[in-house]
Amino acid sequence: MAKANVKDLLEAGVHFGHMTRKWNPNMAPYIFMEKNGIHIVDLHKTAVKLDEACSALEKITSAGKKVLFVATKKQAKEVVAKYAAELNMPYITERWPGGMLTNFVTIRKAVKKMNHIDKMKKDGTFETLSKKERLQVDRQRANLEKNLGSISDMVRLPSALFVVDIMKEHIAVTEAKKLGIPVFAIVDTNSDPRKVEYVIPGNDDASKSIDMILSVVSDSIKEGLSQRKADKEKSKEEGEKVSADADADFTSETPATAAE
């Protein structure tokens, strides 16, 4: 499993929290000190919590389950989209669609609508529409792509959420909690860590900090996916071996059966 390095976290500025007047008292266990009116996160605790989160994420992905990444703030969206796309995991980096989890059936209908439009364009149906209708369909498709394109392959609810800034993504966190979906999150000093199952204390406002944490998370998920692939190949090989052995047994028994 990928391990967090305190020195790397320090260089990425993960230790910088918010101004002391904006702090959430529940983050006290993760704060090392106050400097120039800003809280400094204890990176040794960050490293420990990051390792715990990575271990859990590796287990989830090694079981073939999906993790939904959520980050709509400007500093995080491009970083999150990059890592999630590399991992072939669903992600939301635009507006969180209300009911994304709690009303998943409706969201899936919207995704199917998007896929239906794509099918219309492929089979020529789209060209039979009037110019005005084509323009309306194109606008609808663009809007669906912007909000739901990154989850078009997500056919069932995710097994976990990874969130950057739980205050900004509070609706996503609330929906996950209602459904019992565990939330992994980068939690800054102005947030309430009690709202998520896997807290990663750190700076959720700087791209460099977010990138550093996600690089470690990504490595762990890759290990989980590799383990999943290895397990599937092993099962396939064992299945082929059992089949081959059965064929061999049948062949060796056939002459005796014929003699009888």
Side-chain angles (χ1 to χ4, degrees), residues 84-95:
E86 286 177 359
L87 297 166
N88 195 29
M89 291 291 172
Y91 60 93
I92 296 290
T93 53
E94 295 300 326
R95 181 184 64 85

Side-chain angles (χ1 to χ4, degrees), residues 65-116:
K65 298 176 181 177
K66 292 286 185 179
V67 178
L68 173 63
F69 287 78
V70 185
T72 60
K73 67 196 302 181
K74 185 179 179 181
Q75 308 94 306
K77 60 197 316 183
E78 289 185 9
V79 177
V80 168
K82 178 187 73 172
Y83 281 106
E86 286 177 359
L87 297 166
N88 195 29
M89 291 291 172
Y91 60 93
I92 296 290
T93 53
E94 295 300 326
R95 181 184 64 85
W96 175 265
M100 167 71 202
L101 300 178
T102 53
N103 195 15
F104 188 65
V105 173
T106 299
I107 297 297
R108 282 302 303 164
K109 285 181 180 178
V111 171
K112 286 180 180 178
K113 177 64 176 177
M114 184 171 67
N115 293 335
H116 176 65

Side-chain angles (χ1 to χ4, degrees), residues 49-260:
K49 299 301 284 185
L50 180 52
D51 285 345
E52 288 177 4
C54 285
S55 178
L57 285 167
E58 187 177 333
K59 287 180 181 177
I60 288 171
T61 52
S62 67
K65 298 176 181 177
K66 292 286 185 179
V67 178
L68 173 63
F69 287 78
V70 185
T72 60
K73 67 196 302 181
K74 185 179 179 181
Q75 308 94 306
K77 60 197 316 183
E78 289 185 9
V79 177
V80 168
K82 178 187 73 172
Y83 281 106
E86 286 177 359
L87 297 166
N88 195 29
M89 291 291 172
Y91 60 93
I92 296 290
T93 53
E94 295 300 326
R95 181 184 64 85
W96 175 265
M100 167 71 202
L101 300 178
T102 53
N103 195 15
F104 188 65
V105 173
T106 299
I107 297 297
R108 282 302 303 164
K109 285 181 180 178
V111 171
K112 286 180 180 178
K113 177 64 176 177
M114 184 171 67
N115 293 335
H116 176 65
I117 294 173
D118 291 341
K119 186 179 179 182
M120 286 173 61
K121 290 187 174 184
K122 285 182 179 179
D123 65 18
T125 307
F126 182 74
E127 297 303 321
T128 65
L129 303 175
S130 67
K131 185 176 180 181
K132 183 179 179 180
E133 288 173 328
R134 289 201 302 271
L135 184 61
Q136 290 175 336
V137 171
D138 275 335
R139 285 175 178 169
Q140 184 182 28
R141 175 66 177 78
N143 187 50
L144 288 168
E145 174 65 34
K146 182 179 179 181
N147 293 308
L148 303 173
S150 58
I151 61 163
S152 58
D153 295 329
M154 195 172 77
V155 296
R156 60 177 63 86
L157 285 169
S159 295
L161 259 64
F162 188 98
V163 176
V164 178
D165 193 339
I166 62 174
M167 289 186 69
K168 183 172 180 58
E169 314 302 345
H170 64 96
I171 298 175
V173 173
T174 299
E175 288 190 28
K177 200 169 192 68
K178 283 182 180 178
L179 297 174
I181 298 173
V183 177
F184 296 73
I186 302 175
V187 183
D188 215 324
T189 57
N190 65 333
S191 305
D192 186 352
R194 299 174 301 175
K195 293 185 177 181
V196 301
E197 286 75 16
Y198 292 89
V199 178
I200 303 172
N203 182 353
D204 66 7
D205 288 315
S207 297
K208 192 174 181 181
S209 169
I210 297 166
D211 193 294
M212 175 68 247
I213 292 173
L214 278 171
S215 68
V216 180
V217 167
S218 176
D219 286 344
S220 294
I221 290 178
K222 284 177 182 176
E223 288 182 23
L225 294 173
S226 294
Q227 182 60 51
R228 173 68 174 175
K229 184 179 180 181
D231 289 344
K232 288 178 74 174
E233 289 177 352
K234 184 179 179 182
S235 296
K236 183 180 178 181
E237 289 174 0
E238 290 176 348
E240 289 174 349
K241 185 176 183 300
V242 169
S243 179
D245 290 344
D247 288 343
D249 290 342
F250 177 76
T251 304
S252 64
E253 290 174 3
T254 301
T257 304
E260 290 175 4

